[in-house]
Amino acid sequence: MYRLLAPRLGRGLLRAAGRRGGVCAARLLAGPAGGRAPEVGAPPPRVAPRGGGSSLLPLLAALAWFSRPAAAAEEQEQEQEQERPGPRPSGAAAEDAAEAEIIQLLKRAKLSIMKDEPEEAELILHDALRLAYQSDNKKAITYTYDLMANLAFTRGQLENAEKLFKATMSYLLGGGMQQEDNAIIEISLKLASIYAAQNRQEFALAGYEFCISTLEEKIEREKELAEDILSVEEKANTHLLLGMCLDAYARYLLFSKQPSEAQKMCEKALHISEEILGERHPQTIVLMSDLATTLDAQGRFDEACVYVQRASDLARQIEHPELHMLLSNLAAILTHKETRNDVLLHRAP
């Protein structure tokens, strides 16, 4: 969401909130003009799914913290503004003070999250949101809603997360952002995963298909744009977001007992990750294991073993943080293969 924010506020908030979050429960806040703001409410590790199991909820954690770093130009602009001499107008000084207080609140919230104090983090985040409303800082409101939504999302507070993501999206679209913007796609993907976890299949399917088709059309349209119009990094970010959408949809299809379709989505996601991030990247390794799971669910154990063994070997080499989950998937697939071989052996004349 970094592109929503003014450079100085955006970078400050991103530093305060960090790239990971914790937990936050729900509460109602007064919205603008006496209205009601949406409710508000970390992440378990992402695991390689097992076919047909409750594989959708672990996906929420992976989705919730997908983000892109702020552009270097924003960083430079912030530094230049901070170095600019001379007094600030009184109105601007008041805005600066409010922004600084919001940033400090988010720093405190992050510390509470790191200390596993979700209730304290919740109170602090609501204070930040209240101050953002009082100062009529719409960009800070949007950012804080998004952060709170992600916290609720990863904690499994899906109803709260849905309300907050919709509020965030409403602010973005109301501010002129287009539906094909990556920020809107990110939120749409999270909403689709919420609907999937809630067994609202029609909404989930529509959400996944919207995200994938919109990004594919966007990539096709932008592929010939010169770098001075659209940077290589921005193009790569869009491709990686498509990869995440494909992987999320694959998990949904696997959960819905459609392993062959899930395999196709996983293969596309893995290709994107290998091309942009490389074979040894942690995300690529997890996608290899995910692809193995879709093959395993179809009884294609030999092919599954090739991918999951490769994923496990690479995970050992790079000391992957989820090595234990990858090894667990390897063990499960090997067990399935051995069971199949035993059955064939007993059937032999």
Side-chain angles (χ1 to χ4, degrees):
M1 292 297 183
Y2 69 91
R3 284 175 295 129
L4 313 175
L5 306 173
R8 181 160 38 83
L9 175 60
R11 293 296 295 159
L13 290 176
L14 285 170
R15 287 198 185 98
R19 294 297 176 198
R20 299 275 168 180
V23 289
C24 181
R27 176 181 304 226
L28 280 173
L29 275 178
R36 302 282 280 182
E39 294 184 6
V40 183
R46 175 177 176 178
V47 296
R50 297 300 311 154
S54 56
S55 60
L56 293 173
L57 286 177
L59 172 63
L60 302 184
L63 294 177
W65 302 111
F66 177 81
S67 61
R68 300 171 300 279
E74 291 192 353
E75 179 82 20
Q76 184 178 6
E77 186 176 342
Q78 178 196 8
E79 293 173 355
Q80 291 173 347
E81 184 169 344
Q82 289 176 338
E83 295 170 358
R84 209 168 283 148
R88 301 271 289 167
S90 58
E95 291 178 5
D96 288 349
E99 290 177 2
E101 188 172 353
I102 293 170
I103 290 169
Q104 288 303 313
L105 287 169
L106 290 174
K107 287 181 179 179
R108 288 175 52 205
K110 180 185 176 184
L111 179 60
S112 295
I113 290 166
M114 293 172 62
K115 293 165 63 177
D116 195 23
E117 297 175 351
E119 294 83 4
E120 181 68 15
E122 173 194 353
L123 294 173
I124 295 170
L125 285 170
H126 280 290
D127 285 342
L129 186 60
R130 186 175 296 107
L131 180 60
Y133 269 122
Q134 289 173 352
S135 59
D136 196 28
N137 191 326
K138 292 181 173 57
K139 292 175 181 176
I141 292 170
T142 303
Y143 179 85
T144 307
Y145 271 146
D146 185 57
L147 176 60
M148 297 167 91
N150 279 314
L151 294 174
F153 188 59
T154 55
R155 199 183 185 195
Q157 297 175 339
L158 302 185
E159 292 184 6
N160 292 336
E162 179 186 355
K163 293 175 183 176
L164 284 163
F165 281 131
K166 287 180 176 178
T168 305
M169 186 181 292
S170 177
Y171 268 96
L172 299 181
L173 295 173
M177 183 172 285
Q178 300 299 308
Q179 283 194 352
E180 67 173 19
D181 191 281
N182 286 2
I184 298 297
I185 301 298
E186 288 179 32
I187 296 175
S188 299
L189 177 59
K190 293 168 187 175
L191 286 171
S193 297
I194 288 173
Y195 298 143
Q198 294 173 330
N199 203 32
R200 297 160 68 182
Q201 306 299 341
E202 183 178 352
F203 291 100
L205 183 61
Y208 288 128
E209 291 181 346
F210 164 77
C211 292
I212 292 170
S213 63
T214 301
L215 286 171
E216 287 178 339
E217 292 171 6
K218 181 178 179 180
I219 288 170
E220 180 64 25
R221 189 169 60 253
E222 295 178 345
K223 68 180 182 180
E224 301 299 334
L225 291 180
E227 188 173 348
D228 58 342
I229 299 175
L230 188 68
S231 70
V232 173
E233 181 184 6
E234 288 177 296
K235 290 182 180 179
N237 284 334
T238 301
H239 278 82
L240 290 172
L241 180 55
L242 173 59
M244 174 163 284
C245 293
L246 291 165
D247 184 41
Y249 189 34
R251 288 168 175 261
Y252 168 78
L253 291 168
L254 191 61
F255 182 80
S256 303
K257 310 294 186 183
Q258 301 178 64
S260 63
E261 291 301 311
Q263 176 198 340
K264 296 175 185 177
M265 299 300 110
C266 269
E267 288 172 341
K268 292 179 181 179
L270 177 59
H271 175 73
I272 291 171
S273 190
E274 286 178 330
E275 189 174 71
I276 296 177
L277 300 176
E279 186 186 44
R280 296 170 63 85
H281 190 277
Q283 180 66 15
T284 304
I285 293 170
V286 171
L287 286 169
M288 284 183 196
S289 184
D290 287 355
L291 177 55
T293 299
T294 66
L295 294 165
D296 177 73
Q298 298 174 71
R300 297 164 62 178
F301 304 120
D302 294 334
E303 296 170 79
C305 283
V306 172
Y307 282 103
V308 76
Q309 186 66 64
R310 180 60 176 161
S312 300
D313 291 344
L314 289 170
R316 288 191 184 95
Q317 293 173 22
I318 71 166
E319 299 182 354
H320 197 294
E322 294 172 12
L323 175 61
H324 63 293
M325 298 304 304
L326 296 165
L327 293 176
S328 176
N329 205 29
L330 171 63
I333 292 174
L334 289 174
T335 299
H336 297 160
K337 180 180 178 180
E338 183 178 349
T339 301
R340 187 274 313 269
N341 290 341
D342 288 344
V343 170
L344 293 177
L345 181 63
H346 283 92
R347 287 180 180 174

